[in-house]
Each structure stands twice: as C-alpha cells, then as structure tokens.
C-alpha cells in the first residue's frame, strides 16, 4: 500500500513538472507555453495600429483589462446621459416647486442620483415604470433613442469580444501537450529528431499538421538565421488525434543538424520552434499550439516510450506517465549524421571490394582447376 502511494505521489509530481516547466525561458524566442518573447523596438506610434483594428487590439488584451474597459464604458455612458438628462430637466424647470400645470421631462426624478438610476434603467432596458420620459421634452426623447442605440452597440461589442476570446485558438491549445524533451536517435543508420504530441481533450483534432523551424547562429558569425524543418508522423497518418503521436524530423543533407554530433546537440546555440495546427471536431474552430526546444532539452540516443493502452469494459485507458518517459538506444555513437553516413558509405565500399575480390579469386581458381 505504501509503495502504491509513493508511486501515485511520484506520478503527480512528474505530471506537474511536465506541464509547468521550471527551467528559465529567458533565452527562448517561444516559451514552453507558446508565448513569444519578441518585442519590437523603435516601432511607430501604436495609435496607427490600435485604432484601425480596435476590435482585435482589445481581444489581444488580458481579460482583466477587457473587463475594466467595458466597465468604464458602461459607467461613463450612464453618467454622461444622466448629466444630459439632468441639464434638460433643469432647463425645463423640473426641480422647481410644482405649480400643478407644467409636466416634467422625466417623471419621478428629484435629484442627480435618481437621474443616474434612470439613465442606467434606460440603457439596460430594465424600465421599472416609476421613472419615464414624458412628451413635454422632445430633447429628452431624442436622448433616450441615442442612449438605447449606444447601449445595444456596447452589448454587441462585449458579446463579440467574449465569444472571440473563448473561441481563440490559444484557448484550445492549452489541451494540446508537447513532450518536454526532444529525442535524437538512430534507426538503421539514419538519424532522427522526434517529438511527441498528446491531445488531452475528448474532442479530437481533425487533420493535425506539424510545422517547425530552427533558429541558430550563422557559421560566419553574422547573426541568427531561420531554417525550415519538416516533421512527419512516425506511424501511418490519421486525420484524427486519438492517441499520442510521435513526429520525426529526418536528419539528412537538407537538415540544419546534418553536421551536429552529440556535443553540438547538447551544447549548441539554437532553438527549435514547433507549431501544431488543426480543427476541433466539436466546435469546428481552428486550433494553434506551439512550443520550443533548447539544447538542454535534446536527449541523445533516446526515443519515446509508447503509451500503453488498457481496456476496461468498453473503453481504452492510456497511462499518462508513459508520455514523459524515454528509453535509451545503446547502439548509437556520438558522431554526427554526416560522419555516420560517410562511415557507412566507406564500410559499404570496403565490403563491395572484399566481395569483388573474393569473386575474382574464386573465378580464377575455377579457371585454373
């Protein structure tokens, strides 16, 4: 029983260590959570970009700022129209002693606080009935029309922002998990970089696609360069994302890691950016998730352990602990893919020479006999 409790406690710790990466992200272009750390310097005035695209600019803000903006809009509109109603009522003499003949612009209002309450009731269409605009003041009626239209516009804007915020691709991206590390291993003399991706949501991602690029320093010391990388699914491609998928990058002559040996992978200056895109099957919304890998997260001569599925009744259960585990490949040297390719080519040539020599010698012997 104690061993089971220890195993469970350890598995929970592994899970949170996997999700909340404790390593510093100061040197990353893209953090493990998918946020970018790139900021523009000496950029033009932000007003030129904010006002023409104000809707997207507001959506990109934090939720607290969005709530503050719309709360300010409501309070400011209520106060402004209350002030306008108060000025119209004051001009009409509503706050003077009643003479029994004149009718007020706004019924049952005696001070500014009650006028503010009337303004709120009008814009929110509550309309308790005790306060209302009479037909004595066309100006007050016009203010009611303008305030009603403005209230509808504000409600429409906040509804659109909230829906857009909930349907943002980054919201769904939190349920798409990337492996904490990337593995470099050899398979039949061919070198690969592989990553593992898991969909935590019950709704599947339809036709997921993985794109990647590598940011590294140029060999001539002129700065950083961007090199595209291809990641293909390890097994047969599927349009659904039912279980964890392993994606591999072939290290060939077109790869930026063709001349990288073990030391270069573990101590080099580069960053691999990985992006997953797909469509959620329930909401039909676009999903966009991304992460990055630094040299400290590249594991040499290892590959991911396949997650085991256990059948229980009519369902299959996957062991999540296997998602964070890798197994070692003992037959991989520390040389680069290019060195291994040349060595294999030389060994193949030597074998061909030996076979040809044996064939010639045997043929001569046969002729001699």
């Amino acid at each position: 029983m104690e061993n089971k409790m220890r195993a469970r406690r350890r598995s929970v710790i592994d899970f949170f260590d996997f999700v909340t990466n404790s390593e510093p992200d100061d040197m990353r272009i893209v953090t493990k959570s998918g946020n970018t750390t790139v900021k523009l310097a000496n950029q033009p005035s932000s007003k030129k970009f904010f006002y023409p695209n104000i809707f997207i600019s507001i959506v990109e803000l934090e939720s607290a700022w969005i709530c503050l903006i719309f709360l300010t809009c409501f309070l400011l509109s209520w106060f402004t129209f209350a002030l306008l109603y108060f000025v119209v009522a004051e001009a009409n003499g509503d706050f003077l002693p009643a003479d029994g003949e004149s009718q007020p612009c706004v019924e049952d209002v005696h001070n500014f606080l009650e006028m503010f309450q009337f303004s709120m009731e009008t814009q929110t269409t509550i309309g308790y009935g005790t306060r209302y605009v009479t037909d004595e003041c066309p100006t007050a009626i016009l203010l009611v029309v303008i305030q009603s239209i403005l209230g509808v516009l504000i409600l429409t804007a906040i509804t659109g922002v909230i829906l857009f915020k909930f349907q943002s691709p980054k919201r769904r991206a939190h349920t798409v998990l990337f492996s904490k590390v990337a593995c470099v291993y050899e398979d039949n003399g061919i070198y690969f970089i592989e990553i593992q991706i898991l969909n935590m949501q019950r709704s599947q991602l339809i036709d997921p696609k993985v794109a990647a690029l590598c940011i590294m320093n140029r060999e001539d010391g002129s700065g950083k360069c961007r090199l595209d990388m291809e990641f293909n699914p390890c097994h047969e491609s599927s349009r659904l994302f039912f279980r964890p998928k392993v994606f591999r990058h072939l290290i060939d002559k077109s790869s930026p890691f063709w001349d990288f040996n073990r030391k270069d992978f573990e101590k080099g200056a580069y960053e691999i950016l990985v992006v997953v895109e797909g469509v959620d099957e329930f909401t039909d919304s676009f999903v966009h998730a991304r992460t990055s890998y630094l040299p400290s997260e590249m594991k040499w001569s290892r590959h991911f352990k396949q997650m085991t599925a256990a059948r229980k009744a009519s369902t299959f259960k996957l062991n999540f602990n296997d998602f964070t585990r890798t197994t070692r490949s003992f037959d991989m040297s520390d040389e680069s893919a290019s060195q291994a390719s040349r060595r294999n080519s030389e060994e193949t040539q030597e074998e061909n020479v030996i076979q040809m020599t044996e064939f010639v010698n045997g043929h001569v012997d046969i002729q001699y006999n």
Side-chain angles (χ1 to χ4, degrees), residues 4 11 39 62 72 95 182 199 209 213 215 263 273 287 320 362:
K4 290 183 178 180
S11 65
K39 294 183 178 180
E62 297 293 335
T72 303
F95 302 115
N199 175 35
K209 297 179 181 179
L213 58 90
I215 306 296
K263 183 179 179 180
L273 312 181
V287 180
F320 181 80

Side-chain angles (χ1 to χ4, degrees), residues 45-101:
S45 175
S46 59
K47 296 180 181 179
K48 297 180 180 179
F49 303 99
F50 183 84
Y51 293 112
N53 199 13
I54 188 171
F55 181 78
I56 299 299
S57 300
I58 293 177
V59 170
E60 290 179 346
L61 296 175
E62 297 293 335
S63 299
W65 284 106
I66 294 177
C67 294
L68 181 61
I69 289 174
F70 282 105
L71 179 60
T72 303
C73 289
F74 279 118
L75 293 177
L76 186 61
S77 62
W78 295 341
F79 180 82
T80 301
F81 280 95
L83 184 61
L84 294 176
Y85 288 130
F86 187 83
V87 171
V88 172
E90 182 71 25
N92 192 53
D94 293 357
F95 302 115
L96 299 176
D99 55 3
E101 296 180 0

